[in-house]
Amino acid sequence: MARITMKFGGTSVGSAEAIAQAVAIVRDFLADGDELAVVVSAMAGVTDRLLESASAAASGDKPGYSAINQMLRKRHQAVIDALVAADDSRAAIEAEVDALLRQHLELCEAVRVLGEATPRITDALVSFGERLSSRVIAAVMQAEGLPVEQFDSNRFIVTDNQFGDADPLWDETEARIVQGLRPRLEAGVTPLITGYFGATPDGTITTLGRGGSDFIAAIIAAYLDSDELVIWTDVDGVMTTDPRLDPRARVLPYVSYQEIGELAFYGAKVLHPKTVQPIVSRDIPLRVRNTFNPSHLGTVVGAKTQPSETVIKAVTGIRDVSMLTVSGRGMLGVPGIAGRTFLASANAGASILMISQSSSEQSFCFTVVDALAQNVKAAVESELQRELQHNDIDSVEVLSDIVIITVVGSGMRGTPGVAGRVFSLLGENRINVLAIAQGSSECSISFIIEQRDLELAVTELHTLALETVENDSVNGLGSPY
């Protein structure tokens, strides 16, 4: 018997058919004697519609948010009609859904009167997605005779008040999970918990950022002392590259916590970048599996060293980024230019994805998402106004239509010639590299190329990953778990 925390993503609960499949998975695990805690996302697309309802309400568009409310009713009612028998239990869940949808309309009406959807109100609005889906899914499981009890995550996940991207308050969160959730699990109950949102100590709802349901599932897995965390999604696991760019993409049987962190940060959409944070210190393995292909064992993510010949495991790319370059001969030996630049970027609301600097200190470049590039440029120019006026800095330039390519693999550490092979291959295909960055961990190499070269670069570099992954397969090297 194992204690397993599992999370079902939006596509895994996006329809009556998908929810029926998720219920079958839970039933099979329980039949094997496992203890389960289940975290669920909102139905696919619902969070986006809720954000639209907030915008509509702020602009005074009552028909707009009312139509979204009706759409939510139809989607959840369709699941109830398909999977819950017409008896008292159906009437009970329909009443719960109706009450939540009335609250959604009331909150939208308050936003319309206020004329503004503040981050605090927006977090409260988008929480309705998980609150609705979790109650409907719990009703379906209970109708199947499964010992499920529904919980809202704000009972256990305590956060700061950074609405839209809140951070957990770890000690209080651990205490609430240990005291409030673990006893129910040990009593034979299968808790079914909302993802995505928590609450401040005074009970105000917050969200943990898009993809935060993964993060919440990992927190719950850690503090329930789970043997494994399973993320159920719509792909077979973590892949060697985006199959839309190269159909040869293969599922990786095992990746390390460090590797998955690089992959999540640099464009792989399988996991929220923070997911491994709560479980890494407890050595809890994470498995990524496909709800719609449950016979596939997926990808295991863990801390243990894998006996492997794999040097390069995966190739990822980030689109929709811009590179800013700060340059000038007057920068040489002047302390604080980079620090002030990055602080100005942060104040403009931008996260820096990659940094590269020449040893002469006469220029450095960094990347941000396209949508913030001009704001960051203006903020940096304002911060460095004196240096620009004195010609110590020549310019702050923005280059768009670029992509960041990242080659990931812990096997690169201590293996001579990996970077040489990567850049030789790019040169052979006449792909120009605009900037390069490699961390001291040697787990990844990132570089910037023109967007038009994305598909060619990924396809050619993916060949290197396939060669080494194939070596592991032939030699029977897989997960150490």
Side-chain angles (χ1 to χ4, degrees):
M1 182 181 72
R3 176 174 291 179
I4 298 171
T5 298
M6 55 177 59
K7 175 257 179 181
F8 290 94
T11 54
S12 297
V13 296
S15 66
E17 295 77 13
I19 289 172
Q21 180 63 33
V23 172
I25 289 169
V26 170
R27 184 194 307 115
D28 289 345
F29 273 81
L30 290 174
D32 289 339
D34 296 319
E35 291 182 340
L36 297 185
V38 179
V39 177
V40 295
S41 295
M43 295 179 74
V46 164
T47 299
D48 288 335
R49 301 292 83 75
L50 287 165
L51 288 169
E52 289 173 11
S53 75
S55 298
S59 63
D61 180 10
K62 186 171 184 176
Y65 66 73
S66 297
I68 291 170
N69 185 273
Q70 285 303 307
M71 179 276 294
L72 296 176
R73 182 181 300 278
K74 288 179 181 178
R75 285 195 66 182
H76 292 86
Q77 185 65 48
V79 176
I80 295 169
D81 289 343
L83 301 177
V84 181
D87 56 16
D88 290 345
S89 60
R90 179 188 285 194
I93 184 56
E94 287 175 339
E96 285 193 75
V97 168
D98 186 65
L100 286 171
L101 290 171
R102 283 201 308 271
Q103 292 174 34
H104 170 254
L105 278 178
E106 291 167 0
L107 198 52
C108 284
E109 185 64 19
V111 171
R112 186 183 69 82
V113 172
L114 184 65
E116 178 186 9
T118 65
R120 174 174 175 162
I121 293 177
T122 300
D123 274 6
L125 274 170
V126 296
S127 73
F128 282 98
E130 277 73 14
R131 292 161 73 185
L132 285 163
S133 67
S134 64
R135 284 161 174 78
V136 170
I137 295 165
V140 173
M141 291 186 178
Q142 289 162 357
E144 292 281 328
L146 302 181
V148 169
E149 186 175 344
Q150 190 272 340
F151 296 92
D152 283 349
S153 49
N154 57 318
R155 289 182 55 178
F156 310 110
I157 308 298
V158 187
T159 75
D160 60 21
N161 62 356
Q162 294 299 309
F163 298 102
D165 192 21
D167 286 320
L169 303 180
W170 296 102
D171 290 344
E172 180 63 23
T173 295
E174 179 178 11
R176 292 198 186 187
I177 291 172
V178 169
Q179 295 168 14
L181 200 55
R182 190 183 292 178
R184 301 303 298 146
L185 187 69
E186 292 171 347
V189 169
T190 296
L192 191 141
I193 309 142
T194 58
Y196 192 32
F197 66 92
T200 61
D202 67 2
T204 304
I205 287 178
T206 60
T207 61
L208 280 70
R210 296 302 291 264
S213 293
D214 290 346
F215 192 21
I216 285 178
I219 294 168
I220 290 170
Y223 295 141
L224 288 180
D225 291 328
S226 297
D227 297 301
E228 186 174 75
L229 168 63
V230 183
I231 303 293
W232 291 97
T233 181
D234 56 358
V235 295
D236 285 339
V238 180
M239 305 195 78
T240 50
T241 197
D242 186 340
R244 293 170 297 182
L245 293 175
D246 190 343
R248 299 175 297 166
R250 292 182 52 182
V251 175
L252 290 162
Y254 180 83
V255 295
S256 68
Y257 288 137
Q258 186 178 30
E259 289 168 333
I260 200 65
E262 296 284 348
L263 287 167
F265 185 78
Y266 282 110
K269 302 298 185 183
V270 174
L271 292 174
H272 187 273
K274 293 180 180 178
T275 299
V276 301
Q277 182 181 342
I279 59 177
V280 63
S281 62
R282 295 173 181 246
D283 195 19
I284 298 172
L286 178 155
R287 190 182 293 271
V288 180
R289 298 184 67 177
N290 190 344
T291 305
F292 309 103
N293 186 19
S295 62
H296 197 292
L297 294 179
T299 300
V300 176
V301 184
K304 295 181 180 179
T305 302
Q306 179 193 25
S308 173
E309 297 176 7
T310 297
V311 177
I312 296 173
K313 281 191 175 178
V315 183
T316 69
I318 301 183
R319 299 176 176 88
D320 302 322
V321 295
S322 293
M323 180 172 70
L324 285 86
T325 301
V326 180
S327 60
R329 285 169 292 181
M331 291 167 52
L332 181 62
V334 178
I337 297 292
R340 290 165 58 198
T341 297
F342 300 144
L343 181 59
S345 301
N347 291 336
S351 294
I352 294 174
L353 303 174
M354 177 181 147
I355 303 168
S356 182
Q357 179 172 343
S358 65
S359 60
S360 68
E361 299 182 36
Q362 294 188 59
S363 71
F364 62 88
C365 61
F366 58 100
T367 57
V368 298
V369 296
D370 274 340
L372 295 175
Q374 292 302 322
N375 289 345
V376 171
K377 181 178 188 293
V380 172
E381 288 176 336
S382 176
E383 173 62 33
L384 302 179
Q385 183 177 8
R386 182 174 180 275
E387 287 80 3
L388 286 163
Q389 289 174 343
H390 293 175
N391 295 320
D392 293 331
I393 292 176
D394 297 331
S395 63
V396 179
E397 298 179 348
V398 177
L399 180 63
S400 301
D401 297 322
I402 61 167
V403 293
I404 302 174
I405 303 294
T406 301
V407 178
V408 177
S410 58
M412 292 191 294
R413 186 184 297 114
T415 304
V418 176
R421 289 187 69 191
V422 167
F423 295 118
S424 293
L425 191 58
L426 294 173
E428 291 167 8
N429 287 275
R430 304 184 66 81
I431 297 172
N432 186 36
V433 177
L434 305 174
I436 303 167
Q438 180 172 13
S440 59
S441 68
E442 299 182 29
C443 183
S444 68
I445 303 170
S446 296
F447 51 91
I448 295 170
I449 61 173
E450 293 181 63
Q451 185 164 308
R452 65 186 181 188
D453 292 324
L454 169 64
E455 187 168 347
L456 177 59
V458 168
T459 301
E460 292 296 326
L461 292 170
H462 185 222
T463 300
L464 299 180
L466 289 174
E467 288 175 3
T468 52
V469 170
E470 184 64 30
N471 286 340
D472 274 1
S473 178
V474 169
N475 295 319
L477 299 174
S479 168
Y481 285 86

